[in-house]
Amino acid sequence: LEPPSMAALRFDAFGHDASEVLNVGYAQSGYVLQTKKSTRWGGSTVETQVSFFDGTNKKFATRAMLSWRLPKPFGFSFVDIDKLEMDKAGKCKLDASFANVCGVPGLKVDMRSPAEDLSKAAIGCTYANLRPFLFRLDCPVRSPRSCRGEVTCAPVRGAHLGAKFTSEGGIPDLALRLSSGRLAIILGARVSQGVLGASAFLRVSPHFRYAASLGFSATHRLSSTTLGMVYKNVYRVKVAHSTREVDIAGSVLFPVSKGISLLGGVRYGVKQGHLSWGLALKLE
């Protein structure tokens, strides 16, 4: 569960393993073709996603989403284009990062921006060379005073603490991650919004993974509950309960041949009686 070096995690990565069980790999609507191709040009990869039909009203939609990753563009090892993406609406996004900026070890600068208008970019700085701490600062180029920052640390093995704050002040968001062996428990609080959350992840065996999450709010003592299970990264089942709906979802990944797989899934809303389904053909 923990990185070998026991370095501090990013604040949003505290619950990554539970989130992967509960939110990733569910085909709940639409019919999609996904392709992923690795190239020899600096280890770059190209991903394509084409949606053919909507899973509920059968609306025909063939617009594609294209994504490129260039780890070493033109041979420059200090630059990493994490994502150059064109979505279904024709809008482009650029995510790039620069390591060891100004010769400072552990300092990483990244930029996220619409590719057609770099003035809307957001600049982020991460410094991880002061163990066991990790510092992160995000700042929009147009609004440098609207900054967001976070500080996380791993004081002892299996424990991570984190705080996330804004330039507007107030009480920061807080998070705690405790892990031991195959179990991880994550507690989080957004005090300004009156929201509390908790999640847990358990790896019973190399094949079975379980996760659960709870959400509490000021208006509803228990606002949401989600339980999920993954078996061999092939079968996924989850049940999500909120104040509005109870959703049951499941998916199955069928290996067709080497580099070809078929992902199918369904979702049923118990209170509204709404059923949707999805199918994705993956080529890698």
Side-chain angles (χ1 to χ4, degrees):
L1 293 175
E2 302 298 336
S5 62
M6 286 306 300
L9 298 173
R10 285 281 305 274
F11 188 91
D12 294 335
F14 277 24
H16 66 92
D17 31 27
S19 179
E20 198 278 333
V21 173
L22 299 176
N23 302 318
V24 178
Y26 292 92
Q28 299 181 10
S29 65
Y31 301 88
V32 180
L33 171 64
Q34 298 176 344
T35 65
K36 183 176 181 180
K37 180 64 176 179
S38 299
T39 72
R40 296 181 179 179
W41 186 49
S44 61
T45 59
V46 180
E47 297 183 24
T48 306
Q49 179 172 306
V50 183
S51 300
F52 291 100
F53 294 96
D54 182 84
T56 54
N57 56 20
K58 305 297 187 298
K59 183 179 179 181
F60 193 71
T62 57
R63 289 184 176 180
M65 181 174 68
L66 305 176
S67 179
W68 295 269
R69 186 178 187 279
L70 307 172
K72 298 178 180 180
F74 307 105
F76 296 110
S77 59
F78 62 91
V79 183
D80 186 350
I81 298 180
D82 302 304
K83 181 185 296 184
L84 178 57
E85 179 182 276
M86 178 182 291
D87 61 18
K88 299 175 183 179
K91 297 181 179 180
C92 297
K93 299 178 182 179
L94 173 64
D95 292 356
S97 60
F98 308 86
N100 298 328
V101 178
C102 299
V104 180
L107 178 61
K108 181 179 178 181
V109 176
D110 56 78
M111 179 185 70
R112 300 176 305 282
S113 169
E116 64 273 11
D117 189 357
L118 296 180
S119 64
K120 297 181 180 179
I123 305 297
C125 298
T126 303
Y127 184 68
N129 209 33
L130 186 61
R131 301 291 179 89
F133 294 94
L134 183 144
F135 303 90
R136 170 79 183 178
L137 183 65
D138 288 285
C139 184
V141 173
R142 284 186 173 181
S143 304
R145 295 183 179 180
S146 302
C147 294
R148 300 185 304 274
E150 64 181 64
V151 179
T152 61
C153 70
V156 295
R157 182 175 182 83
H160 291 264
L161 304 172
K164 196 171 186 177
F165 53 88
T166 66
S167 58
E168 298 175 357
I171 302 177
D173 297 342
L174 304 174
L176 168 66
R177 174 188 169 98
L178 301 174
S179 61
S180 178
R182 301 174 178 178
L183 175 66
I185 298 175
I186 303 93
L187 304 175
R190 296 181 180 178
V191 183
S192 59
Q193 302 178 13
V195 177
L196 301 176
S199 61
F201 170 83
L202 177 63
R203 185 186 296 273
V204 178
S205 70
H207 299 316
F208 280 99
R209 290 178 294 154
Y210 297 88
S213 68
L214 301 174
F216 302 86
S217 65
T219 55
H220 300 87
R221 293 184 179 180
L222 181 60
S223 58
S224 63
T225 306
T226 307
L227 302 174
M229 182 199 74
V230 175
Y231 176 63
K232 287 187 175 180
N233 285 329
V234 174
Y235 304 97
R236 294 175 179 268
V237 179
K238 71 174 180 178
V239 179
H241 175 271
S242 66
T243 56
R244 296 182 178 180
E245 185 58 282
V246 177
D247 287 322
I248 302 175
S251 67
V252 181
L253 183 66
F254 301 93
V256 178
S257 181
K258 184 178 180 180
I260 304 176
S261 59
L262 191 64
L263 176 65
V266 296
R267 171 183 172 272
Y268 180 68
V270 177
K271 293 183 179 180
Q272 299 182 7
H274 177 72
L275 177 66
S276 63
W277 58 89
L279 198 62
L281 177 62
K282 298 185 175 184
L283 307 177
E284 297 184 1

